[in-house]
Amino acid sequence: MSNNEHIYAVARIRAKEVNLLDSSVIEQLISSNSVESMNRILVDKGWGDGSEKLDNILSVESDKIWSLMREMFEDMSIFDTLRVEKDFHNLKAAIKSEYTKVNDSSIYLKNGSISVDEIIDAVKNKNFANLPEQIANYPLEAYEIMFKTGDGQLCDMILDKGCLEYIIELSKESKNLLLTEYAQMKVVIADIKIAIRGAKTGKDRKFFDMALVSCDKIDINVLADMAVQGVENIYSYLETTDFKEAVDAIKTDFAVFECWCDNQIISAIRKEKYTPMTISPIIAYILARENEIKTVRILTVAKRNDLKQEEVKKRMRDMYV
């Protein structure tokens, strides 16, 4: 893509950024007394397509992100680092659907790098050769595990690890610093979650060796050693890393930790507003939009479950603007 094309795309994104939700709108949503009142606030902000159902509004907003990208970019592969997570979700869904013989189109996610039909066809025929070469081995292994053992958790673990390894690979191929930072953050956050949950359930070293994914931000061999010894040892190790602030969040509530993780990504992307000659402002915008959709989804669940405002605020993500 030429510099002029980048500048044009960034200019379009700048115009779109004025419609991003800010902290004052999030406060309004938190203070609203029902999901219906949340709907009205969002519709007034231009969300949705006239639907009254919040779930539909969120789906429409997700589609808007990728429709805009397709308008501006002929080659969508530049966004694969952000999209392949949906592909691996769909692979898990298709394998389990084939195993159980229960078909439900609602379990699949749109806007991945591979069409849902292509993934379903690959699983039905147990032929993954037409998928990207870097992906194909993971679903084959997961498929065989699922059909030989019925172990859905192991199937998920294989595909989750494959997804993270592929995200790292794609980010390196992109040579984009923001995508590289995003990928590294995704992996280290996943590794910490795996270590904590595994330690709490008494997993052995073999489990951690199978599940953890190498990255630049943390030593997974040390993390695995600590996880086998217990949660407190994980905390002690994290205190020596750039993730020492995460320890208090983890100890408070895992939902608070997940919020802390998302906020680290938002913090990393804010500086990319000011690099108009690269793809980074576009990446930042996509992540910002996905962050606000996720925040609204969390708020929706909170409203439906009558969660107290203090608890809701603990789970609120920082906004890009």
Side-chain angles (χ1 to χ4, degrees):
M1 192 176 189
S2 70
N3 285 343
N4 286 339
E5 288 174 313
H6 269 131
I7 293 169
Y8 166 74
V10 171
R12 284 196 68 182
I13 289 301
R14 289 285 177 268
K16 294 285 185 182
E17 282 178 356
V18 299
N19 295 318
L20 290 171
L21 304 185
D22 59 22
S23 57
S24 65
V25 177
I26 298 300
E27 284 295 331
Q28 290 178 47
L29 295 173
I30 293 171
S31 301
S32 61
N33 55 21
S34 67
V35 171
E36 290 70 29
S37 59
M38 279 180 57
N39 283 10
R40 288 192 290 273
I41 293 168
L42 291 169
V43 169
D44 287 344
K45 289 290 292 181
W47 280 43
D49 59 356
S51 170
E52 292 298 318
K53 292 184 178 180
L54 190 52
D55 290 339
N56 290 345
I57 290 175
L58 297 180
S59 178
V60 168
E61 289 307 301
S62 182
D63 287 344
K64 284 180 183 178
I65 298 171
W66 296 106
S67 293
L68 176 62
M69 296 306 121
R70 283 189 288 270
E71 284 178 22
M72 295 191 297
F73 299 94
E74 184 175 345
D75 180 9
M76 289 290 287
S77 67
I78 56 176
F79 302 115
D80 282 357
T81 305
L82 307 180
R83 299 195 296 162
V84 294
E85 195 169 1
K86 295 181 176 69
D87 299 328
F88 278 86
H89 166 90
N90 291 339
L91 283 164
K92 287 192 283 188
I95 290 171
K96 290 178 180 178
S97 178
E98 184 69 11
Y99 179 76
T100 60
K101 300 302 179 185
V102 175
N103 297 316
D104 178 4
S105 61
S106 68
I107 63 178
Y108 298 103
L109 300 177
K110 295 184 290 183
N111 300 308
S113 69
I114 307 168
S115 75
V116 172
D117 288 342
E118 188 176 350
I119 285 174
I120 292 173
D121 183 67
V123 171
K124 281 187 177 298
N125 295 301
K126 196 185 172 183
N127 180 6
F128 304 103
N130 290 330
L131 300 183
E133 185 179 351
Q134 303 94 321
I135 291 180
N137 288 336
Y138 297 109
L140 178 59
E141 183 182 0
Y143 182 102
E144 291 177 344
I145 288 290
M146 191 72 212
F147 278 81
K148 286 178 181 176
T149 69
D151 191 336
Q153 287 187 328
L154 183 54
C155 171
D156 286 352
M157 186 173 74
I158 291 165
L159 289 170
D160 288 341
K161 183 170 185 175
C163 179
L164 293 169
E165 289 179 340
Y166 192 36
I167 285 174
I168 289 284
E169 183 177 347
L170 285 169
S171 71
K172 289 179 179 177
E173 289 175 0
S174 77
K175 295 183 171 57
N176 178 273
L177 293 178
L178 180 55
L179 285 175
T180 301
E181 178 66 13
Y182 165 81
Q184 292 291 329
M185 285 296 296
K186 286 284 290 185
V187 172
V188 73
I189 288 164
D191 283 341
I192 292 171
K193 289 179 181 179
I194 290 166
I196 295 291
R197 288 170 176 155
K200 287 183 175 180
T201 53
K203 299 294 186 183
D204 59 16
R205 178 58 191 255
K206 182 180 177 182
F207 167 83
F208 295 112
D209 287 342
M210 288 178 62
L212 296 175
V213 177
S214 294
C215 64
D216 297 338
K217 291 183 175 292
I218 206 164
D219 187 329
I220 61 169
N221 290 315
V222 176
L223 184 62
D225 287 341
M226 296 301 102
V228 170
Q229 296 174 44
V231 173
E232 291 300 324
N233 293 79
I234 297 174
Y235 295 154
S236 297
Y237 171 55
L238 292 178
E239 291 282 1
T240 69
T241 72
D242 292 339
F243 296 88
K244 58 185 177 183
E245 292 180 8
V247 174
D248 287 340
I250 297 168
K251 288 180 178 179
T252 301
D253 189 312
F254 225 70
V256 175
F257 170 61
E258 290 181 337
C259 180
W260 181 88
C261 295
D262 287 343
N263 289 345
Q264 301 311 298
I265 293 174
I266 292 298
S267 177
I269 69 176
R270 281 200 183 105
K271 62 181 178 292
E272 299 303 333
K273 286 184 179 183
Y274 310 108
T275 54
M277 304 301 285
T278 74
I279 197 68
S280 293
I282 314 297
I283 302 298
Y285 175 79
I286 293 170
L287 293 173
R289 286 287 280 130
E290 291 186 337
N291 179 66
E292 63 180 15
I293 292 168
K294 183 176 186 177
T295 299
V296 172
R297 184 171 284 111
I298 291 167
L299 266 173
T300 305
V301 173
K303 293 289 179 189
R304 287 173 177 163
N305 290 279
D306 296 319
L307 205 63
K308 292 181 180 179
Q309 281 198 20
E310 310 86 75
E311 291 301 312
V312 174
K313 288 182 178 180
K314 288 180 185 177
R315 292 161 171 76
M316 287 300 94
R317 275 61 179 163
D318 290 343
M319 293 295 102
Y320 183 61
V321 294

